[in-house]
Amino acid sequence: MNKLFSRRSFVSTSIATFATALLPNALLALTESSAKRLVDSVVADVNKVINSGRSESAMLKDFERIFVRYGDVNIMARYVLGVDARSASPAQLRQFTDAFQGYIARKYGRRFREFIGGEVIVRDARKIRAGYEVRSTVKLRGEAPFEVTFLVSDKSGSDKFFNMFIEGVNMLLTERTEIGAMLDARGGDLNRLIADLR
C-alpha cells in the first residue's frame, strides 16, 4: 500500500511539475492584484528615474529599460506597424521593434520631466476581455488631475502592459496613425522608417 501511494504521489508530483513548466500562464494567471502590482512597479521605477537628477540622455535610456521590462513591446510594435507587419521579414520586425522602443522612450520620456514634484496614484483595476484595465490619477503641480489607464495582459508569458490611455487618448492607436503616416512619407520603405526612428 505504501509503495503504491509513494508511486502515485511521485507520478502526481511529476505531472504537476511538468505542467507548471509547460503552462505557467494557466497556473499563475493574471489577477486584479498582480495587474495593479505591475502598474505600481512601473510608477515607482519611473518616479525613481525622474527624481534621480541624471542627465536627460541617461534618463531616456532608463525609460527605455522600463518600457522593455514592463511593456509588451513585441505586441505593441506589431500593432503599430499594422498590415505592414505581415509583409515584413523576421529581421525587419526585430529591427523595427528595437527602433520603436527607443522612439517611444524618447518621445514620452521627455514629457516625464513634467512629473517632477507630482504624484501618480494607482486607483483600481477591472477585468476586460484582454486582461485588466488599471486606472491611475496623475497630479501635477499647477494642473488639474488627469487619468492614465494601463491595459495589462499575460498573453506573452508574463504580466505586461500593452497599451495606455492618457486622458482618454489611445496611445497605440495614436502611434499607429503617426507611424503609418511616417511610412507613407517614405514610400512604404520600412528600412528607411527603421533608420529614421533610430
Side-chain angles (χ1 to χ4, degrees), residues 73-89:
V73 181
N74 290 329
I75 294 292
M76 295 166 92
R78 286 185 73 93
Y79 177 85
V80 163
L81 199 51
V83 293
D84 293 287
R86 294 185 203 137
S87 57
S89 70

Side-chain angles (χ1 to χ4, degrees), residues 56-175:
E56 184 178 83
S57 61
M59 288 171 71
L60 292 178
K61 286 177 184 170
D62 289 338
F63 288 135
E64 184 172 352
R65 279 191 285 272
I66 291 168
F67 183 48
V68 170
R69 180 177 179 185
Y70 297 111
D72 199 336
V73 181
N74 290 329
I75 294 292
M76 295 166 92
R78 286 185 73 93
Y79 177 85
V80 163
L81 199 51
V83 293
D84 293 287
R86 294 185 203 137
S87 57
S89 70
Q92 283 178 313
L93 276 177
R94 281 193 303 274
Q95 290 163 6
F96 175 76
T97 300
D98 182 63
F100 172 73
Q101 71 188 40
Y103 160 79
I104 289 291
R106 289 187 302 276
K107 181 176 181 177
Y108 290 91
R110 288 192 176 101
R111 302 263 342 253
F112 282 139
R113 284 194 174 277
E114 300 168 20
F115 285 63
I116 294 173
E119 184 182 16
V120 181
I121 302 160
V122 179
R123 297 197 332 263
D124 53 39
R126 73 179 181 93
K127 188 86 175 77
I128 57 173
R129 196 175 71 174
Y132 280 88
E133 176 186 272
V134 182
R135 294 188 301 173
S136 66
T137 299
V138 178
K139 296 180 178 179
L140 302 182
R141 289 183 298 191
E143 290 190 29
F146 61 92
E147 188 170 282
V148 175
T149 300
F150 294 80
L151 301 188
V152 180
S153 171
D154 62 356
K155 296 288 188 286
S156 63
S158 59
D159 299 354
K160 302 268 187 181
F161 75 85
F162 64 92
N163 200 0
M164 291 169 61
F165 288 77
I166 303 166
E167 293 188 276
V169 177
N170 184 326
M171 184 196 85
L172 269 192
L173 199 55
T174 300
E175 293 304 331

Side-chain angles (χ1 to χ4, degrees), residues 172-186:
L172 269 192
L173 199 55
T174 300
E175 293 304 331
R176 185 173 186 158
T177 302
E178 291 186 13
I179 293 287
M182 290 166 72
L183 188 57
D184 288 344
R186 289 157 182 78

